[in-house]
């Protein structure tokens, strides 16, 4: 039993480290997006501040560890063996579920998942005990702390609504005060705002979170609670005077200080509230092991765990080590850095690009209803008030070449301070919140108040909010059901099932997160477009045109061969790849609008952007036609319609071979040769249709193949021509200048 327990504890520790890595990669970036989006400081400074917040906040999370021990289960009703089965089932389910959701790109919450996994495991164990002992079904409530579980669930639900409306109201009021030209008014109100923000951060994080710190002495906590009001007044007065002096004497901008303080605060609150999601269960299992081993000779199937009721401070070393792992993840996880960009784009004020979420019917209904209500409400507001508000929310025009930030310093400050305050308040009450959802909803509320949800983006933003809320229910149901199943398997199959399940979870999480190659092509292309000048655009076209051409030909030729072979699964896969290709080329073409908005550059740069737009328009149209063509082919084969025969079949296979050979050397001569073959194939079809009874559906599909082949070749020849013209333009411009300079030298020498 001892060897088994030690193996289980070792595996729990390893899974906790992996869980920390996966969870932080997807969740902790939520406290970085505001600082990164507003460019308050260099990236390394933002990361250093966040790391300090995570490391210190982890030591304030000791009180939250009680949730894993007594928040859902009733320990005195369960034996040591049963408790360990529940904890092992929870950690295995948590790791596999989070990894599955992340792989599918579905919204999830580590807090929601851990609570409902504990609930599912506890209910499964309770059902087994009731069934095994023959007790009445009503005894299920003896094994589940339903009151505390319901309070935590309601806290999470309420926090989503509170976070959204708090962000909406506070942002609206402060934007009315500061306006988008806040540099004109902040010298009067900036010190007041900064002092209030820092005081709120100190109050919610330190003073309300002191009881959860593993190193705080009872005397220190009592002194803080006794002198709370005096401390807050002193802090506010001190920072107000300091900021006011900096503004008046040095014309300093205090918003970066507030943003960095808010980043520290939100990182602190995240670590204090969410650390239990990753290490709470392993630490609860460790405490259970200590209680069991302290009772020498105890039977694990009889020894009950009422000792977990005792409040024991988690050793600071465990919390600090967990914080250290979280900091390493922040710095070295590439997935974390990619998620930052996604989070910034979702709350961005910039428009015209591809939204993260699509539209939905509920979102459309909400937008239409809101527009009607807004139109009705405006009839009761005086015109003078409307004009005044319009002036307060009027954005300044960007100068040529100036890039619009995803959100400015005012909104970044509010996002950080509000989210940190809400999360820290819940932590002080020992209520777990979904930090992802709270941060997301504060950002959505503030962006709505700021006018980032205009009629171009409102449907997509509301769809995002609805997706997050629906994701809450999906996560909850999936976590509870999955953990109940895993726990049941452990109960009936015993120790071997526990070890196999934990080893399987460890293998899956390590393989999928540490040994999976990521495609960095998109990131490289984004970097090439950062400048929007002729050189970077030329580099992008050089690499992307050949890539998209090869991919298009491969998909279409593969589709022709799969159609002839009547391979429905292959056609389905190729169609999915074609959809991805269309989305990618659409997004790449959309970059033109961002470059056009930024403006600036020389005439050569503007000409290059025009070449870029024309080239990607052609490639987008080809990918659109390819997607449709493969979709028609898939439906044709899925419905078991008759295959091509005779010349139609031969010409289809011949076309596929010639197109694949064209990938190596795409030249006008080879394209002209294939176009001639297409003409011959059409003549053969006219002869075959006269001799055979060919259905309209089959005729349209075959002619669609030929038509797409013509369109693809013609459009890509145009793209190659544009690419060559862009590359030749600098040489031509240089040659025009060279004769003039030579002539001037010759004339100078002659005159001499």
């Amino acid at each position: 039993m001892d060897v088994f327990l030690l193996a289980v504890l070792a595996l729990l520790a390893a899974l906790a480290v992996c869980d920390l890595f996966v969870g932080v990669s997807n969740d902790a970036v939520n406290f970085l997006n505001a600082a990164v989006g507003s460019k308050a400081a260099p990236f390394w400074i933002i990361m250093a501040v966040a790391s300090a917040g995570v490391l210190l906040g982890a030591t304030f999370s000791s009180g939250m560890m009680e949730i894993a021990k007594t928040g859902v289960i009733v320990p005195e009703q369960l034996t040591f063996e049963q408790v360990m089965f529940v904890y092992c089932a929870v950690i295995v389910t948590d790791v596999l579920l989070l990894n599955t959701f992340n792989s599918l790109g579905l919204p999830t919450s580590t807090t929601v998942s851990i609570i409902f996994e504990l609930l599912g495991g506890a209910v499964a164990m309770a059902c087994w005990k009731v069934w095994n002992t023959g007790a009445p079904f009503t005894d299920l409530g003896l094994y589940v702390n339903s009151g505390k579980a319901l309070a935590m669930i309601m806290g999470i639900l309420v926090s989503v609504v509170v976070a959204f409306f708090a962000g909406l109201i506070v942002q609206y009021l402060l934007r009315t005060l500061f306006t988008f030209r806040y540099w004109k008014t902040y010298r009067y109100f900036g010190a007041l705002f900064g002092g209030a923000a820092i005081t709120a951060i100190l109050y919610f994080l330190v003073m309300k979170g002191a009881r959860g710190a593993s190193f705080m002495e009872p005397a220190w906590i009592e002194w803080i609670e006794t002198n709370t009001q005096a401390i807050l007044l002193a802090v506010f007065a001190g920072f107000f005077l300091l900021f006011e002096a900096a503004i008046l004497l040095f014309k300093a901008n205090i918003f970066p200080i507030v943003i960095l303080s808010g980043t520290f605060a939100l990182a602190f609150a995240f670590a204090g509230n969410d650390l239990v999601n990753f290490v709470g269960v392993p630490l609860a299992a460790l405490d259970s092991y200590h209680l069991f081993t302290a009772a020498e000779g105890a039977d694990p199937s009889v020894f009950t765990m009422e000792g977990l009721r005792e409040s024991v401070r988690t050793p600071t070393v465990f919390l600090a080590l967990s914080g250290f792992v979280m900091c390493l993840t922040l710095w070295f996880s590439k997935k974390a850095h990619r998620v930052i960009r996604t989070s910034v784009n979702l709350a961005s004020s910039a428009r015209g690009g591809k939204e993260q979420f699509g539209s939905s019917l509920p979102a459309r209904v909400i937008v239409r209803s809101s527009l009607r209500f807004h139109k009705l409400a405006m009839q009761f507001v005086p015109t003078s008030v409307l004009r005044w508000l319009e002036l307060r929310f009027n954005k300044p025009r960007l100068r040529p070449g100036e890039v619009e930030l995803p959100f400015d310093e005012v909104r970044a400050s509010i996002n950080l301070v509000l989210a940190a305050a809400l999360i820290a308040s819940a932590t002080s009450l020992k209520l777990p919140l979904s930090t992802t959802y709270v941060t997301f909803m504060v950002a959505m509320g503030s962006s709505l108040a700021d006018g980032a949800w205009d009629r171009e983006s409102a449907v997509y933003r509301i769809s995002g909010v609805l997706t997050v809320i629906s994701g809450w229910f999906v996560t909850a149901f999936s976590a509870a059901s999955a953990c109940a199943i895993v726990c049941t398997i452990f109960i009936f199959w015993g120790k071997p099932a526990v070890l196999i399940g934990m080893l399987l979870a460890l293998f899956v999480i390590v393989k999928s997160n540490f040994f999976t190659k990521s495609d960095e092509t998109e990131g490289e292309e984004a970097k090439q477009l950062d400048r929007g000048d002729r050189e970077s655009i030329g580099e992008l076209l050089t690499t992307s045109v050949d890539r998209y051409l090869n991919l298009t030909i491969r998909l279409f030729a593969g589709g022709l061969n799969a159609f002839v072979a009547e391979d429905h699964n292959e056609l389905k896969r190729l169609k999915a790849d074609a959809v991805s290709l269309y989305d990618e080329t659409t997004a790449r073409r959309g970059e033109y609008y961002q470059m056009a908005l930024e403006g600036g550059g020389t005439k050569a740069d503007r000409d290059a952007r025009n070449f870029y737009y024309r080239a990607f328009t052609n490639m987008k149209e080809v990918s659109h036609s390819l997607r449709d063509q493969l979709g028609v082919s898939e439906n044709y084969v899925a419905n078991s319609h008759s295959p091509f025969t005779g010349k139609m079949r031969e010409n289809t296979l011949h076309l596929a071979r010639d197109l694949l050979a064209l990938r190596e050397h795409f030249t006008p001569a080879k394209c002209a040769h294939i176009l001639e073959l297409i003409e011959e194939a059409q003549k053969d079809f006219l002869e075959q249709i006269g001799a055979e009874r060919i259905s309209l559906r089959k005729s349209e599909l075959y002619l669609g193949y030929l038509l797409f082949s013509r369109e693809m070749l013609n459009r890509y020849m145009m793209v190659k021509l544009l690419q060559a013209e862009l590359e030749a333009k600098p040489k031509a411009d240089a040659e025009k200048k060279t004769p003039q300079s030579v002539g001037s030298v010759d004339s100078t020498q002659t005159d001499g």
Side-chain angles (χ1 to χ4, degrees):
M1 185 67 182
D2 290 340
V3 176
F4 169 74
L5 283 177
L6 291 175
V8 167
L9 291 175
L11 287 171
L12 281 171
L15 287 172
V17 173
C18 294
D19 210 9
L20 276 170
F21 180 86
V22 176
V24 173
S25 294
N26 291 274
D27 286 359
V29 294
N30 292 316
F31 52 73
L32 293 172
N33 65 348
V36 173
S38 63
K39 296 187 178 179
F43 186 71
W44 69 270
I45 292 180
I46 296 172
M47 292 290 287
V49 170
S51 299
V54 166
L55 199 57
L56 186 58
T59 63
F60 273 66
S61 65
S62 177
M64 295 293 292
M65 298 302 160
E66 301 298 320
I67 292 170
K69 295 190 288 185
T70 60
V72 177
I73 66 174
V74 181
E76 58 267 23
Q77 297 291 336
L78 301 178
T79 66
F80 171 67
E81 186 178 66
Q82 293 164 354
V83 163
M84 292 301 290
F85 280 160
V86 172
Y87 287 152
C88 290
V90 168
I91 196 68
V92 168
T93 306
D94 192 58
V95 169
L96 294 177
L97 186 70
L98 288 180
N99 191 68
T100 301
F101 272 67
N102 294 338
S103 301
L104 297 175
L106 297 176
T108 186
S109 165
T110 55
T111 304
V112 171
S113 62
I114 201 72
I115 290 175
F116 278 90
E117 283 155 5
L118 283 167
L119 187 61
V123 169
M125 182 60 70
C127 290
W128 179 80
K129 287 179 71 71
V130 168
W131 173 75
N132 194 46
T133 59
F137 185 75
T138 54
D139 283 358
L140 285 176
L142 297 175
Y143 306 98
V144 181
N145 191 351
S146 55
K148 181 67 173 178
L150 182 62
M152 291 188 293
I153 293 168
M154 291 303 298
I156 295 173
L157 283 172
V158 171
S159 70
V160 172
V161 180
V162 171
F164 179 79
F165 283 101
L168 174 66
I169 295 170
V170 174
Q171 177 65 34
Y172 188 86
L173 293 176
L174 286 176
R175 181 61 73 190
T176 304
L177 175 66
F178 284 106
T179 76
F180 283 98
R181 296 173 175 83
Y182 54 88
W183 55 88
K184 294 182 179 180
T185 55
Y186 109 101
R187 61 179 176 175
Y188 303 109
F189 304 106
L192 190 66
F193 171 74
I198 300 297
T199 304
I201 288 171
L202 180 69
Y203 174 70
F204 286 108
L205 259 64
V206 180
M207 305 184 75
K208 289 187 72 67
R211 287 188 175 275
S214 59
F215 57 84
M216 291 292 286
E217 299 291 338
W220 302 351
I221 297 174
E222 184 180 355
W223 183 85
I224 290 175
E225 292 179 348
T226 304
N227 300 280
T228 296
Q229 188 173 1
I231 294 172
L232 292 177
L233 288 173
V235 170
F236 174 75
F239 276 102
F240 171 75
L241 294 175
L242 179 64
F243 289 153
E244 189 68 28
I247 292 171
L248 294 178
L249 298 178
F250 305 103
K251 296 182 179 180
N253 182 6
I254 66 164
F255 279 111
I257 299 174
V258 176
I259 291 172
L260 290 177
S261 300
T263 300
F264 174 88
L266 193 51
F268 186 106
F270 164 81
N273 194 276
D274 272 23
L275 188 59
V276 65
N277 302 340
F278 313 123
V279 301
V281 168
L283 289 176
L286 182 62
D287 286 346
S288 303
Y289 173 76
H290 288 156
L291 289 171
F292 173 70
T293 53
E296 297 181 3
D299 186 348
S301 62
V302 177
F303 181 76
T304 55
M305 300 306 298
E306 57 270 6
L308 290 177
R309 285 286 182 189
E310 298 179 8
S311 181
V312 179
R313 287 189 180 275
T314 305
T316 304
V317 63
F318 289 152
L319 300 179
L321 285 173
S322 301
F324 182 70
V325 173
M326 296 167 82
C327 292
L328 291 178
T329 303
L330 280 180
W331 283 95
F332 298 107
S333 172
K334 292 182 178 178
K335 178 186 284 187
H337 295 175
R338 286 197 298 271
V339 176
I340 293 173
R341 183 165 48 189
T342 301
S343 301
V344 169
N345 290 340
L346 185 60
S348 174
S349 300
R351 292 173 285 275
K354 180 180 172 63
E355 296 285 344
Q356 182 179 359
F357 297 96
S359 64
S360 62
L361 180 59
R364 294 171 187 165
V365 172
I366 292 173
V367 170
R368 290 196 201 103
S369 302
S370 300
L371 289 173
R372 294 192 189 103
F373 175 78
H374 179 266
K375 187 176 181 180
L376 178 64
M378 288 304 100
Q379 297 176 5
F380 299 94
V381 180
T383 306
S384 57
V385 175
L386 292 176
R387 289 176 181 172
W388 181 77
L389 288 174
E390 186 178 353
L391 290 174
R392 305 302 289 176
F393 282 82
N394 187 25
K395 290 186 178 182
R397 284 184 173 273
L398 295 176
R399 293 186 297 271
E402 185 179 2
V403 180
E404 182 180 10
L405 295 177
F407 30 77
D408 63 8
E409 294 170 326
V410 174
R411 180 142 63 101
S413 303
I414 292 167
N415 286 351
L416 291 165
V417 174
L418 267 182
L422 290 171
I423 295 167
S425 297
T427 304
S428 68
L429 298 173
K430 295 185 180 180
L431 286 176
L433 292 186
S434 171
T435 56
T436 301
Y437 290 175
V438 169
T439 307
F440 176 88
M441 295 305 287
V442 168
M444 290 297 96
S446 64
S447 62
L448 173 59
D450 240 8
W453 293 19
D454 64 0
R455 295 184 65 165
E456 299 297 325
S457 60
V459 170
Y460 308 105
R461 303 291 171 91
I462 293 174
S463 293
V465 173
L466 296 177
T467 301
V468 167
I469 295 174
S470 62
W472 190 95
F473 293 101
V474 171
T475 301
F477 177 78
S478 302
S481 303
C483 190
I485 294 171
V486 173
C487 188
T488 303
I489 292 173
F490 288 176
I491 292 171
F492 283 96
W493 289 358
K495 301 173 188 176
V498 173
L499 290 176
I500 292 173
M502 297 181 76
L503 288 171
L504 176 64
L506 185 62
F507 171 77
V508 170
I509 201 72
V510 170
K511 183 177 183 299
S512 60
N513 287 276
F514 299 99
F515 295 96
T516 301
K517 293 182 179 179
S518 58
D519 186 9
E520 300 294 337
T521 306
E522 183 178 349
E524 292 175 0
E525 292 180 354
K527 289 179 182 177
Q528 289 177 346
L529 278 178
D530 281 345
R531 302 189 304 273
D533 60 329
R534 184 195 57 77
E535 183 179 355
S536 62
I537 292 173
E539 291 173 3
L540 176 62
L541 287 179
T542 299
T543 56
S544 59
V545 169
D546 288 339
R547 174 171 169 264
Y548 289 135
L549 173 62
N550 290 337
L551 184 56
T552 300
I553 291 178
R554 180 177 66 79
L555 292 176
F556 181 59
L560 294 178
N561 289 322
F563 173 78
V564 172
E566 298 185 75
D567 189 342
H568 176 257
N569 290 331
E570 179 65 8
L571 280 171
K572 188 175 181 180
R573 186 188 67 81
L574 291 170
K575 179 191 172 184
D577 291 342
V579 170
S580 299
L581 174 62
Y582 173 70
D583 290 340
E584 188 176 341
T585 52
T586 302
R588 294 278 71 81
R589 191 185 75 155
E591 297 286 352
Y592 169 80
Y593 299 100
Q594 187 62 37
M595 290 188 288
L597 285 172
E598 293 173 11
T602 63
K603 183 179 183 303
D605 295 335
R606 293 192 292 273
D607 290 342
R609 293 168 196 163
N610 184 40
F611 283 119
Y612 174 90
Y613 178 76
R614 293 165 63 190
F616 270 95
T617 295
N618 280 284
M619 291 189 286
K620 176 195 170 185
E621 293 302 321
V622 171
S623 61
H624 182 272
S625 299
L626 174 64
R627 182 196 66 179
D628 293 345
Q629 198 62 44
L630 290 177
V632 173
S633 303
E634 181 203 357
N635 290 331
Y636 190 97
V637 174
N639 293 329
S640 302
H641 296 305
S642 60
F644 290 169
T645 57
K647 281 289 187 179
M648 292 173 65
R649 185 178 188 278
E650 293 176 10
N651 288 332
T652 301
L653 293 173
H654 192 188
L655 179 61
R657 288 195 301 269
D658 286 349
L659 288 175
L660 288 173
L662 185 64
R663 291 199 305 169
E664 300 298 327
H665 299 286
F666 189 88
T667 61
K670 290 189 175 183
C671 288
H673 174 67
I674 295 178
L675 290 173
E676 291 176 1
L677 293 178
I678 293 173
E679 292 293 336
E680 292 296 325
Q682 192 158 354
K683 292 178 181 178
D684 292 338
F685 167 74
L686 293 176
E687 294 177 2
Q688 189 172 354
I689 197 174
E692 301 178 15
R693 191 175 184 83
I694 300 176
S695 67
L696 176 62
R697 182 177 288 106
K698 185 189 297 186
S699 300
E700 288 185 340
L701 178 62
Y702 182 74
L703 292 175
Y705 284 154
L706 301 183
L707 181 62
F708 172 77
S709 301
R710 286 196 188 93
E711 180 187 4
M712 178 182 65
L713 294 174
N714 289 328
R715 285 191 178 275
Y716 266 99
M717 280 195 289
M718 176 63 70
V719 169
K720 286 285 188 179
L721 181 63
L722 290 169
Q723 181 184 354
E725 191 174 346
L726 178 61
E727 294 173 352
K729 191 170 180 56
K731 298 179 182 178
D733 293 341
E735 290 175 358
K736 288 180 181 179
K737 293 180 179 179
T738 302
Q740 295 177 358
S741 59
V742 172
S744 62
V745 170
D746 290 342
S747 61
T748 303
Q749 292 175 346
T750 304
D751 292 340

